[in-house]
Amino acid sequence: MTSAEAGALRRLAPPARRFLAHRKGVLVRLALWSLAESGQAFLVGHAVARSVDEGFLAGDPRLGLLWLGVALVAVLSGARVVRGVFAQLAGVTEPLRDGLVRRAVDRSMARAAPGGPGGTDRAAVSRLTNQVEVARDSFAGLVLTLRSFVFTAAGALLGLLSLHPALLVVVLPPLAAGLALFLVTLRPMAAAQRRALAADEALGDHAASARAALRDLAACGTGPGVERRGADLVADAAAAARTLADWAAVRTAALGVAGHLPVLALLVAVGWLRGHGVSVGALLGAFTYLVQSLLPALHTLMTALGAAGSRLLVVLDRILGPETETETETETDRVPVPDRLPEPVSVLKSQPGPSTASASAAAFAVDMAAAPAVELRAVTLSYGARAEPVLDALDLCVAPGEHLAVVGPSGIGKSTLTRLVAGTLAPSSGEVRVAGRPVTGRPAAELAALRVLVPQDAYVFSGTVGDNLAYLSTDACRAELDAAVGAFGLGPLVERLGGLDGTVRPAELSPGERQLVALVRAYLSPAPLLLLDEATCHLDPASEARAEEALAGRAGTLVVVAHRLSSAVRADRTLVLDGVRARCGTHAELLDRSPLYRDLTGHWNS
């Protein structure tokens, strides 16, 4: 037995004893109905033997038919016995289910309550639905099968002994061998079931986390790393399933030994048994005991104990056990990809030597000094073959270190432009270059080292404040985090959350607070190009000005889709998209040359 299994049994034994101790009346009534089932099993085989030996073979068919009638009554009475058993079974299984539900709810509430460990309890729904029902059904199945096997086997073995002791000499060895082989599989089967359940939960958790952050995965270039992790989790789940299948094959062999060899042994030993005084009726009674009672009960026991028993142990340990490492570890340790995702920059630093991605990023960095930070050459983009182009033959050149604002009416293509520059959208024609090289089709890891795209809906994950801020800069020290918090006026929020080590719950932050967190994260990123797609729309003008000034003072290039006129005024140049032609210039130049910009300025000022 593994240490995990031994620990689970030790944890579960005391509550199991207390649970059963409070239901002694139900257990006594269940035992009485089971004794009736034992008597039924004894009576069926014994009546068949007596009907042959004392009735038909003795020339008295009426007595034979009478004994067969007794066997028939015993079989039909089984329905009444089953009804009584199920009536008492509900008195055990339903309280178990209610107790498990209360335990699951109490644990989730304690986790979310002030002073609790906090975080999102993603396993709560599984415990309240799937795991509780698995425990209830498995427990009910085990009670039924264990009770039925014990009392049915007792009745059948007693019947064999009453017919002739030699029958037990033939039947018991293969029966015991199959049962022993089955018992050998219980522990490894439980361990395999535990690994399979853990692998399934980890894979589901990874898929849910990745699905919730698809946009950030694409923008930050972490998609390949998450994809590799997902492939590893799929492989782990497949390996656990194969191990489970291997042990299931051993269990099937055990069923074959225990379920078929006793009958075959009895057939082979007919001559020997007849020589030792076993009558024909006793032989038929023995076959009746095996085929009608003993072997079906054994088969049901092996199936239920093998499948339901291991599941019950694992699930009860997860629901009733204390908050072990599964619930006290950090979000990152508990599952491979929980609410936070792998840092994009770490993709370039994960290899011990200079990888292809890091070498390309280094080459990009060298080109940045000489090439334009952003360059668009006759870029056209249409969402469909016959659709009007959103951008039509657009040319643009942004110098390294420049601060560019992008303005235009809603739906004119401002967000499309940022996605083209970020490399997450390919143009219909033309070329987009960053640091002198085309971005279309480039590996996400290379793009993540060059630019950060901050969308309007800021991404904030469950974790610490420091983890959120350093999401794109794994090397950021505490002093750098403190300086960035001060530069953006984020101090009151950080203090309210409990400092850099405080817990962030995204639902409790306002849209503006989430945007400030995302802006500080971009500020700390080593990427030389920042793309803000109305990333300050939920900030008040003063906070927006402070954030843009901090970002403009950072080394690198800044492209901002403006939400207010002040953003265009602060920029070195402004690009005006008007659907016909694009104009680029300073605020003063555009007031003189662009009617649309004058209209937008009047709208903003009003």
Side-chain angles (χ1 to χ4, degrees):
M1 180 178 293
T2 65
S3 59
E5 292 169 343
L9 288 174
R10 285 194 298 269
R11 287 191 296 270
L12 293 177
R17 286 194 296 266
R18 290 193 298 269
F19 177 80
L20 295 176
H22 285 84
R23 286 156 185 85
K24 292 180 181 178
V26 176
L27 295 178
V28 169
R29 290 190 293 273
L30 193 60
L32 291 176
W33 280 110
S34 299
L35 280 174
E37 187 173 359
S38 181
Q40 176 202 13
F42 173 85
L43 194 57
V44 170
H46 192 78
V48 169
R50 297 289 295 273
S51 69
V52 173
D53 288 338
E54 300 178 5
F56 298 114
L57 291 181
D60 190 351
R62 287 182 299 179
L63 184 59
L65 290 174
L66 179 62
W67 278 112
L68 288 181
V70 172
L72 178 62
V73 171
V75 171
L76 294 178
S77 66
R80 182 71 181 90
V81 172
V82 170
R83 179 182 177 184
V85 167
F86 272 92
Q88 300 305 319
L89 183 66
V92 179
T93 57
E94 295 309 311
L96 173 70
R97 180 184 182 278
D98 295 341
L100 294 179
V101 169
R102 284 194 297 270
R103 172 65 176 172
V105 172
D106 289 345
R107 173 170 295 186
S108 299
M109 295 298 292
R111 185 178 183 86
T120 302
D121 189 3
R122 291 184 299 271
V125 175
S126 177
R127 286 196 294 268
L128 283 173
T129 55
N130 181 51
Q131 294 185 27
V132 166
E133 290 305 316
V134 166
R136 173 182 176 275
D137 294 344
S138 299
F139 180 69
L142 285 177
V143 171
L144 282 175
T145 54
L146 281 171
R147 174 207 56 79
S148 177
F149 174 75
V150 170
F151 287 93
T152 300
L157 293 176
L158 184 61
L160 288 172
L161 181 63
S162 68
L163 294 177
H164 200 287
L167 294 171
L168 291 179
V169 176
V170 176
V171 170
L172 277 182
L175 193 66
L179 189 58
L181 181 60
F182 166 74
L183 293 176
V184 169
T185 67
L186 286 180
R187 293 176 181 176
M189 193 78 173
Q193 186 74 42
R194 183 185 297 274
R195 288 193 296 270
L197 181 59
D200 183 64
E201 288 181 350
L203 181 59
D205 205 0
H206 174 90
S209 300
R211 184 177 64 249
L214 288 176
R215 179 186 60 203
D216 299 278
L217 290 174
C220 299
T222 54
V226 173
E227 183 179 355
R228 286 192 297 271
R229 180 57 184 164
D232 292 340
L233 290 174
V234 170
D236 291 343
R242 285 192 294 269
T243 302
L244 203 58
D246 292 340
W247 283 109
V250 178
R251 178 165 296 160
T252 301
L255 286 173
V257 172
H260 300 289
L261 281 187
V263 177
L264 294 177
L266 197 60
L267 289 173
V268 171
V270 165
W272 179 82
L273 291 170
R274 291 287 292 155
H276 283 74
V278 179
S279 65
V280 174
L283 286 173
L284 289 177
F287 279 111
T288 301
Y289 280 129
L290 287 177
V291 176
Q292 294 296 325
S293 301
L294 189 57
L295 297 185
L298 180 62
H299 186 279
T300 304
L301 171 71
M302 289 185 174
T303 303
L305 190 59
S310 57
R311 285 200 305 267
L312 181 62
L313 177 64
V314 173
V315 172
L316 284 181
D317 185 37
R318 288 180 176 272
I319 298 176
L320 296 177
E323 291 197 358
T324 59
E325 66 278 0
T326 304
E327 296 185 351
T328 56
E329 288 174 344
T330 63
E331 293 290 316
T332 306
D333 293 333
R334 186 178 61 206
V335 289
V337 181
D339 289 332
R340 66 169 298 185
L341 298 169
E343 291 79 5
V345 181
S346 65
V347 175
L348 300 178
K349 298 176 181 178
S350 59
Q351 302 297 329
S355 63
T356 303
S358 59
S360 300
F364 272 156
V366 172
D367 290 342
M368 283 292 292
V374 178
E375 186 177 10
L376 276 67
R377 300 178 179 179
V379 169
T380 298
L381 185 129
S382 300
Y383 292 105
R386 299 182 179 180
E388 290 292 327
V390 179
L391 299 176
D392 191 5
L394 176 63
D395 292 314
L396 177 67
C397 184
V398 182
E402 187 175 6
H403 178 186
L404 178 74
V406 181
V407 302
S410 177
I412 202 66
K414 303 186 294 296
S415 296
T416 298
L417 175 63
T418 60
R419 292 177 61 195
L420 286 168
V421 175
T424 61
L425 184 65
S428 303
S429 62
E431 188 176 41
V432 180
R433 290 175 174 262
V434 173
R437 297 193 179 185
V439 297
T440 303
R442 285 211 166 266
E446 294 182 3
L447 294 175
L450 282 178
R451 87 287 180 271
V452 173
L453 173 60
V454 184
Q456 179 177 345
D457 297 323
Y459 172 61
V460 179
F461 53 85
S462 296
T464 67
V465 176
D467 286 342
N468 270 275
L469 299 181
Y471 179 61
L472 302 178
S473 179
T474 55
D475 297 332
C477 64
R478 196 174 189 90
E480 292 173 322
L481 294 177
D482 290 336
V485 168
F488 284 78
L490 204 62
L493 174 61
V494 173
E495 183 178 355
R496 190 187 85 205
L497 296 177
L500 293 177
D501 296 324
T503 300
V504 174
R505 295 181 176 86
E508 297 177 3
L509 300 184
S510 68
E513 289 170 338
R514 290 197 292 270
Q515 283 190 335
L516 278 176
V517 172
L519 292 172
V520 174
R521 180 190 302 153
Y523 175 83
L524 292 168
S525 166
L529 173 62
L530 298 186
L531 303 168
L532 309 186
D533 184 7
E534 294 201 29
T536 61
C537 64
H538 296 299
L539 302 181
D540 59 80
S543 298
E544 180 186 59
R546 183 171 187 169
E548 287 188 1
E549 288 172 1
L551 292 170
R554 171 187 179 275
T557 305
L558 178 64
V559 176
V560 179
V561 174
H563 180 66
R564 297 182 177 93
L565 173 63
S566 54
S567 295
V569 174
R570 282 189 292 268
D572 298 326
R573 288 191 302 158
T574 300
L575 173 68
V576 181
L577 299 177
D578 60 7
V580 179
R581 55 177 301 181
R583 295 182 181 272
C584 193
T586 65
H587 175 66
E589 291 171 346
L590 290 174
L591 285 175
D592 181 57
R593 293 161 37 195
S594 172
L596 175 60
Y597 189 73
R598 288 196 296 270
D599 291 342
L600 290 172
T601 301
H603 171 72
W604 278 326
N605 287 333
S606 63

